[in-house]
C-alpha cells in the first residue's frame, strides 16, 4: 500500500484543479492519460485490449517521469488541462458502464436564480432556455433563495478556526448532488466557516467536493446557446397507462396518439400534450413553416408565455377562492378546516374525484372478481 501511495497514488494526494480526479483517468504509473500526446496507433483498435490500455505496464514506451514533469509544467504555467473524455468519468475501473453525470455549475445556478428573480420569467421558460428540468429549476431557485437569505443575515466571525458540530442541510449539498434531496450530515469539522443564524456553513467543504465532479458550464454573454444539462421533455408515466388493455379497432380506422390516450382514459391527453414542454413542439412546427422568419417564432413564443401567465393567475385565483371558502379553526396544536360538500360530488359510482376521500386514492377495479375485463363492443 505504501509503495502505491508513494508511487502512482501520489497523483491523488493533490487533485487536479478544475478537473475530476478519478482512478480510471490515470495509467498504472500514475500519469494522466489525456495529458499525453495523441497516440499514433490505429483508432480502430479495441480500447479494451491489454496492449492498448497499458495493462502490461509498458504504455507504448512513454517515459512516465517525463509525462508527469510535463503535466506539472503545464499546470504551473497556467495551461488548461484537456477536457475529460468519457473514459475519464468512470470512478470505478471495474464498472465500465457507469459514468459520473455532470452537476450544475455555480454560474448556471446563479443564472437560473437571476432569470426567475430579476427577469420574472416562469420556471417553464427558464427550463426550456437553459436545458434544465423544471423540477431541478424550482429546487435551485428555492435553495438559492434560502442561501441568499442566510447570507444577508449572516455574521462573519473573526480570524481563526472553529470546531463545532455541523448540521449540513440540502442548501450545502445541492451544490454537488445530482438529484436534490434532503440530507443532514452531522460531524465535527475544523474549517474556516461562516456563522449563519447560529449555524455553520461549510463553504470550503462544498467547493472542494464540487470541484471534483463534472459540471455543466454557463458562459454569460455568449451568443451560442447554452449546453443542455439533461433531457427536459421526457414523457411521464401516467397511472392510467399501467393497466392491461385490449382495445380492438377496425382496420380502416386511423389510430394515432390521441386515439391511444382515449382508449386508456377519456380524460387522458395524448403524449405530445403531456410532455413537460408541449410549447417546444408547437414552436418547432412554426419554425418549419416560416423558415427564416425569426419574428414569427418570437411572436408565437411571447403568445405562449402570455397564455402560461394567464393560466397561473387563474390557478392562484382558484386557490385563493378555496382558501376563503374554507372555515378554519385554530387550536394550540392543529388547524381544523371545514368545507361544504355535496353528496352528488362523488358521482353515480362514488368514485369521482370530487367526492370525500378521493385525495387518498381509490384502487382500480380491473383485477376485481366479477368485473368484465374484455371489450364488449367496437366503437
Amino acid at each position: 500500500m505504501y509503495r502505491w501511495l508513494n508511487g502512482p497514488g501520489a497523483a491523488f494526494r493533490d487533485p487536479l484543479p478544475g478537473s475530476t480526479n478519478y482512478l480510471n483517468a490515470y495509467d498504472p504509473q500514475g500519469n494522466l492519460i489525456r495529458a499525453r500526446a495523441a497516440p499514433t496507433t490505429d483508432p480502430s483498435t479495441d480500447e479494451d485490449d491489454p496492449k492498448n490500455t497499458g495493462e502490461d505496464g509498458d504504455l507504448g514506451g512513454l517515459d512516465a517521469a517525463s509525462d508527469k514533469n510535463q503535466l506539472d509544467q503545464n499546470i504551473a504555467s497556467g495551461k488548461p488541462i484537456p477536457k475529460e473524455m468519457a473514459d475519464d468519468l468512470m470512478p470505478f475501473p471495474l464498472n465500465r458502464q457507469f459514468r459520473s453525470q455532470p452537476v450544475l455549475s455555480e454560474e448556471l445556478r446563479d443564472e437560473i436564480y437571476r432569470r426567475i428573480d430579476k427577469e420574472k420569467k416562469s420556471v417553464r421558460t427558464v427550463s426550456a432556455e437553459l436545458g434544465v428540468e423544471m423540477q431541478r429549476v424550482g429546487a435551485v431557485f428555492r435553495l438559492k433563495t434560502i442561501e441568499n437569505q442566510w447570507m444577508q443575515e449572516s455574521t462573519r466571525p473573526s480570524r481563526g478556526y472553529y470546531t463545532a458540530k455541523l448540521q449540513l442541510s440540502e442548501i450545502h449539498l445541492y451544490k454537488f448532488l445530482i438529484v436534490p434531496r434532503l440530507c443532514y450530515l452531522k460531524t465535527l469539522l475544523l474549517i474556516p466557516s461562516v456563522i449563519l443564524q447560529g449555524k455553520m456553513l461549510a463553504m470550503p467543504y462544498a467547493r472542494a467536493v464540487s470541484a471534483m465532479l463534472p459540471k455543466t458550464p454557463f458562459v454569460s454573454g455568449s451568443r451560442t446557446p447554452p449546453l443542455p444539462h439533461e433531457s427536459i421533455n421526457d414523457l411521464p408515466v401516467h397511472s392510467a397507462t399501467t393497466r392491461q388493455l385490449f382495445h380492438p379497432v377496425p382496420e380502416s380506422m386511423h389510430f394515432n396518439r390521441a386515439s391511444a390516450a382515449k382508449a386508456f382514459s377519456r380524460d387522458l391527453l395524448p403524449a405530445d400534450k403531456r410532455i413537460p414542454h408541449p410549447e417546444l413542439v408547437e414552436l418547432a412546427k412554426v419554425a418549419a413553416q416560416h423558415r427564416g422568419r425569426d419574428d414569427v417564432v418570437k411572436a408565437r413564443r411571447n403568445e405562449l408565455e402570455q397564455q402560461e401567465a394567464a393560466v397561473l393567475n387563474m390557478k392562484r385565483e382558484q386557490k385563493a377562492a378555496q382558501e376563503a371558502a374554507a372555515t378554519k379553526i385554530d387550536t394550540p396544536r392543529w388547524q381544523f378546516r371545514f368545507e361544504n360538500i355535496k353528496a352528488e360530488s362523488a358521482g353515480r359510482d362514488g368514485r369521482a374525484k370530487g367526492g370525500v376521500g378521493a385525495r387518498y386514492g381509490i384502487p382500480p377495479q380491473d383485477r376485481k372478481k366479477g368485473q368484465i375485463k374484455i371489450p364488449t363492443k367496437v366503437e
Side-chain angles (χ1 to χ4, degrees):
M1 182 184 70
Y2 289 102
R3 184 185 304 174
W4 182 84
L5 290 175
N6 296 326
F12 302 95
R13 185 179 298 116
D14 298 321
L16 294 176
S19 173
T20 57
N21 207 39
Y22 296 150
L23 187 64
N24 210 71
Y26 293 85
D27 58 23
Q29 280 71 34
N31 301 315
L32 189 63
I33 297 177
R34 68 177 185 272
R36 298 182 304 178
T40 57
T41 58
D42 187 5
S44 62
T45 56
D46 187 7
E47 62 177 1
D48 294 332
D49 191 358
K51 298 180 181 179
N52 299 326
T53 57
E55 294 180 2
D56 56 354
D58 188 12
L59 290 173
L62 293 175
D63 188 5
S66 62
D67 289 345
K68 190 174 187 309
N69 295 334
Q70 183 65 30
L71 178 61
D72 295 339
Q73 293 177 4
N74 293 340
I75 296 177
S77 61
K79 293 184 179 180
I81 302 174
K83 184 177 178 56
E84 299 96 334
M85 297 179 293
D87 292 342
D88 297 328
L89 300 179
M90 290 189 296
F92 313 106
L94 298 182
N95 187 1
R96 301 184 63 86
Q97 304 301 324
F98 177 76
R99 298 291 193 277
S100 180
Q101 300 299 319
V103 298
L104 299 178
S105 62
E106 187 68 27
E107 295 79 12
L108 185 54
R109 289 194 294 268
D110 293 338
E111 182 65 18
I112 291 175
Y113 179 80
R114 187 189 66 83
R115 295 193 181 189
I116 297 179
D117 184 64
K118 305 299 181 182
E119 299 183 4
K120 305 301 180 182
K121 293 185 178 181
S122 63
V123 174
R124 184 184 301 274
T125 303
V126 175
S127 173
E129 292 177 351
L130 299 179
V132 183
E133 191 181 14
M134 285 194 293
Q135 294 181 353
R136 198 181 306 278
V137 171
V140 168
F141 177 74
R142 290 191 295 269
L143 294 172
K144 290 293 291 184
T145 301
I146 299 174
E147 184 179 12
N148 293 337
Q149 180 181 357
W150 285 10
M151 294 298 292
Q152 292 176 1
E153 300 175 1
S154 65
T155 58
R156 187 174 299 274
S158 59
R159 288 186 178 181
Y161 291 84
Y162 295 82
T163 305
K165 179 168 286 190
L166 172 66
Q167 180 174 339
L168 240 174
S169 61
E170 187 183 4
I171 187 63
H172 315 126
L173 295 182
Y174 89 102
K175 296 178 179 297
F176 45 86
L177 282 181
I178 298 176
V179 179
R181 61 187 64 175
L182 192 60
C183 301
Y184 291 96
L185 177 63
K186 294 185 178 180
T187 182
L188 289 177
L189 294 180
L190 189 65
I191 55 175
S193 305
V194 177
I195 298 179
L196 303 176
Q197 296 181 348
K199 303 176 182 179
M200 299 282 290
L201 188 63
M203 297 303 295
Y205 177 77
R207 296 192 189 98
V209 178
S210 179
M212 292 187 292
L213 295 176
K215 293 178 287 295
T216 301
F218 177 79
V219 181
S220 179
S222 177
R223 296 183 179 180
T224 58
L227 183 66
H229 178 71
E230 56 193 341
S231 176
I232 62 174
N233 238 3
D234 293 337
L235 180 65
V237 179
H238 195 275
S239 59
T241 61
T242 58
R243 60 187 179 90
Q244 298 178 355
L245 179 65
F246 300 92
H247 186 72
V249 295
E251 294 183 359
S252 59
M253 176 181 177
H254 294 281
F255 196 81
N256 50 22
R257 289 189 292 267
S259 304
K262 296 300 180 183
F264 280 105
S265 176
R266 295 181 179 179
D267 300 330
L268 185 63
L269 296 176
D272 52 354
K273 294 184 179 180
R274 288 194 298 114
I275 55 179
H277 294 275
E279 73 278 1
L280 297 181
V281 178
E282 187 171 354
L283 288 175
K285 294 180 180 179
V286 174
Q289 295 176 359
H290 304 274
R291 295 184 181 274
R293 296 289 305 277
D294 296 338
D295 53 344
V296 178
V297 178
K298 186 177 180 180
R300 183 54 183 164
R301 185 186 298 274
N302 295 335
E303 182 180 352
L304 291 174
E305 292 179 358
Q306 293 177 1
Q307 293 178 0
E308 182 182 359
V311 171
L312 292 177
N313 292 333
M314 183 181 64
K315 290 182 178 180
R316 293 193 189 99
E317 293 176 357
Q318 292 178 355
K319 186 176 181 180
Q322 293 177 357
E323 291 289 336
T327 303
K328 305 175 185 178
I329 299 178
D330 295 327
T331 63
R333 295 187 61 183
W334 312 102
Q335 182 188 68
F336 294 94
R337 299 166 57 92
F338 298 91
E339 298 179 2
N340 296 327
I341 63 169
K342 295 181 180 180
E344 294 80 6
S345 301
R348 298 180 58 182
D349 56 355
R351 301 175 64 88
K353 65 178 182 179
V356 179
R359 70 178 64 182
Y360 304 107
I362 302 176
Q365 299 184 7
D366 57 337
R367 294 185 179 273
K368 189 176 180 180
K369 291 184 179 181
Q371 298 290 331
I372 300 177
K373 306 175 185 177
I374 59 176
T376 57
K377 60 180 180 179
V378 177
E379 297 179 353

